[in-house]
Amino acid sequence: MRILAIETSCDDTCVAVVETKHFKIVSNIVSSQVKLHAKYGGVFPSLARREHQKNLPIVFKKALSKDKNRKIDLIAVTSGPGLEPCLWTGINFGKELAKKMKLPIVPVNHIEAHILANIIDKKPVFPAVCLIVSGGHTQIILMKKIGEYKILGETKDDAAGECFDKTARILGLGYPGGPVISEKAAELRNKKLKITLPRPMIHQKNYDFSFSGLKTAVLYDFKKRSQKIRKSKQYIQEMSAEIQQTITDVLIKKTLKAAKDCKVKSIILSGGVASNKELRKQFLTAVNNQYVKIILSLPDEKLCTDNAVMVAVAGYFNWQKKKNWKEIEANANLRIADEL
Ligand code: KG4
Ligand code: ZN
């Protein structure tokens, strides 16, 4: 079966074609709006919708141009969570296509799609604890099998990716913050300023997070420094390394706690922040240092951030439920366990 998938929940316009046998990626086109939103330091919803409307036909054509003679069997589209005007753009485009091409269409939960990016190149091992870390979400989810999820904990305020983005903005590093903070942190040779940030909620006996205090702590430190220090390479590198380490410490501690408490066989990482090299490395070390054997599943780095390949994979499993989705609607606040 061949699936054409559409993803427009935030600021990336994505269309992919996936052959479900071994989840072969036929095409994976992502048109990023990063440059456009950079001046606002975050995503501007009405601007993002306008860009999706403009880009979707172009991205769609590109995605179909590879192997265009093969027939498509199903359309999958993200219906939530995300920015409502952006979600509607993708849904309406998908519905029109489905009508024109006389094809069935299935809705997809964006969070589930991120998690299922892991099964493209490997078999999942259940039960699993999933950590989803993106610009909009930070959740720990217990996954018994594909389609069966329970949220164990989540952020009470900012998401981990949002924290990277907001702290990068304070440091004048631009948007998105995660990749640039990771780059600056990697340049650090030795610590001279010895910055330490608080690890929010790290010792609490739950699986919840809080990252907004971290942003405040960075701002507080930044404001007390002289202009010369603030602009220095040393300060930027050291602060970037400390931000990255703080977020990494909290994510690893809470995820391992959940994995041990629930006695799962594997930990599954997903979302844009899961492409962070240091986070991946330290997760691997932490998991290997456990007495009990736990498998760590990491998605391909390119499939961590938003893409439509993961939507095609999730769409395939939804299609197997044999439900007739006539009225697909955008749901900005869709939760992973919610009915689609
Ligand atoms: O999953 P995603 O593409 O979109 C959402 O669903 O939100 O995640 C985007 C987020 C941004 O906040 C970005 O700063 C973060 O992922 N991100 C990273 C890295 N690459 C992207 N964070 C840390 N390190 C990275 N290498
Ligand atoms: Zn996402």
Side-chain angles (χ1 to χ4, degrees):
M1 167 178 227
R2 192 163 269 222
I3 303 181
L4 181 126
I6 303 159
E7 156 62 45
T8 59
S9 67
C10 192
D11 60 342
D12 291 313
T13 314
C14 322
V15 179
V17 176
V18 173
E19 184 67 60
T20 54
K21 195 172 180 197
H22 308 303
F23 294 122
K24 183 177 166 263
I25 302 170
V26 178
S27 61
N28 175 23
I29 313 294
V30 179
S31 167
S32 167
Q33 303 176 9
V34 155
K35 280 195 190 130
L36 199 72
H37 298 284
K39 51 180 176 286
Y40 305 103
V43 183
F44 208 76
S46 56
L47 198 62
R49 180 191 50 191
R50 202 191 65 196
E51 284 303 294
H52 284 312
Q53 279 167 342
K54 200 173 82 190
N55 293 337
L56 259 174
I58 305 163
V59 174
F60 166 72
K61 252 194 191 157
K62 257 195 193 166
L64 272 193
S65 66
K66 293 183 184 172
D67 209 1
K68 62 177 165 219
N69 297 325
R70 293 285 305 273
K71 143 177 177 299
I72 303 287
D73 304 292
L74 176 72
I75 291 173
V77 63
T78 302
S79 63
L83 301 169
E84 196 169 319
C86 299
L87 290 165
W88 273 118
T89 314
I91 293 171
N92 289 336
F93 190 83
K95 280 183 178 171
E96 282 278 306
L97 265 186
K99 214 161 132 191
K100 251 194 233 158
M101 296 167 85
K102 296 193 177 51
L103 290 175
I105 178 166
V106 292
V108 164
N109 182 312
H110 182 78
I111 303 289
E112 182 178 28
H114 268 301
I115 293 171
L116 296 185
N118 276 276
I119 70 163
I120 291 165
D121 53 355
K122 52 195 164 305
K123 255 192 143 169
V125 180
F126 299 124
V129 151
C130 310
L131 172 70
I132 155 90
V133 267
S134 70
H137 300 89
T138 299
Q139 288 181 333
I140 294 184
I141 295 163
L142 177 64
M143 181 179 187
K144 294 222 172 111
K145 57 179 191 186
I146 293 172
E148 209 178 309
Y149 309 95
K150 185 182 167 206
I151 300 172
L152 299 176
E154 61 195 315
T155 183
K156 295 291 162 204
D157 38 59
D158 292 350
E162 196 179 354
C163 184
F164 272 113
D165 296 338
K166 287 181 174 171
T167 52
R169 194 176 184 193
I170 295 171
L171 300 178
L173 296 177
Y175 173 84
V180 62
I181 286 201
S182 144
E183 193 187 300
K184 297 289 171 197
E187 289 169 5
L188 179 69
R189 290 298 158 256
N190 48 44
K191 288 190 183 175
K192 290 183 185 147
L193 301 163
K194 300 198 170 51
I195 303 164
T196 48
L197 294 170
R199 268 69 176 152
M201 295 179 82
I202 197 163
H203 297 301
Q204 288 188 11
K205 291 192 190 327
N206 54 36
Y207 314 113
D208 292 331
F209 304 94
S210 166
F211 290 109
S212 73
L214 189 55
K215 169 196 66 196
T216 316
V218 172
L219 186 63
Y220 185 75
D221 189 277
F222 185 79
K223 281 194 168 164
K224 75 175 193 209
R225 306 281 177 177
S226 67
Q227 282 286 353
K228 197 172 159 219
I229 297 259
R230 282 180 198 180
K231 292 214 164 99
S232 68
K233 268 191 186 166
Q234 181 68 29
Y235 182 72
I236 298 290
Q237 291 169 356
E238 221 171 307
M239 183 54 103
S240 296
E242 180 62 7
I243 293 167
Q244 181 174 261
Q245 193 56 53
T246 303
I247 296 174
T248 302
D249 284 349
V250 182
L251 294 177
I252 292 181
K253 179 93 192 260
K254 295 266 171 162
T255 310
L256 277 180
K257 177 175 163 45
K260 280 192 266 181
D261 291 352
C262 300
K263 298 187 175 58
V264 295
K265 291 189 178 147
S266 76
I267 290 177
I268 295 176
L269 299 196
S270 61
V273 180
S275 66
N276 185 283
K277 286 194 168 50
E278 201 51 42
L279 178 87
R280 293 166 81 97
K281 196 174 98 191
Q282 292 189 28
F283 243 110
L284 211 55
T285 310
V287 167
N288 287 339
N289 283 342
Q290 298 305 303
Y291 291 112
V292 280
K293 187 173 178 266
I294 303 175
I295 295 162
L296 179 67
S297 176
L298 297 163
D300 181 319
E301 275 181 45
K302 287 192 265 343
L303 296 179
C304 286
T305 44
D306 289 349
N307 63 84
V309 171
M310 64 185 198
V311 176
V313 177
Y316 174 63
F317 290 101
N318 284 346
W319 176 77
Q320 287 178 338
K321 293 178 190 160
K322 305 215 179 307
K323 230 171 113 171
N324 190 10
W325 280 286
K326 281 222 169 76
E327 273 323 303
I328 298 177
E329 296 203 336
N331 182 350
N333 302 313
L334 188 69
R335 310 268 289 169
I336 191 148
D338 289 352
E339 255 319 283
L340 278 169

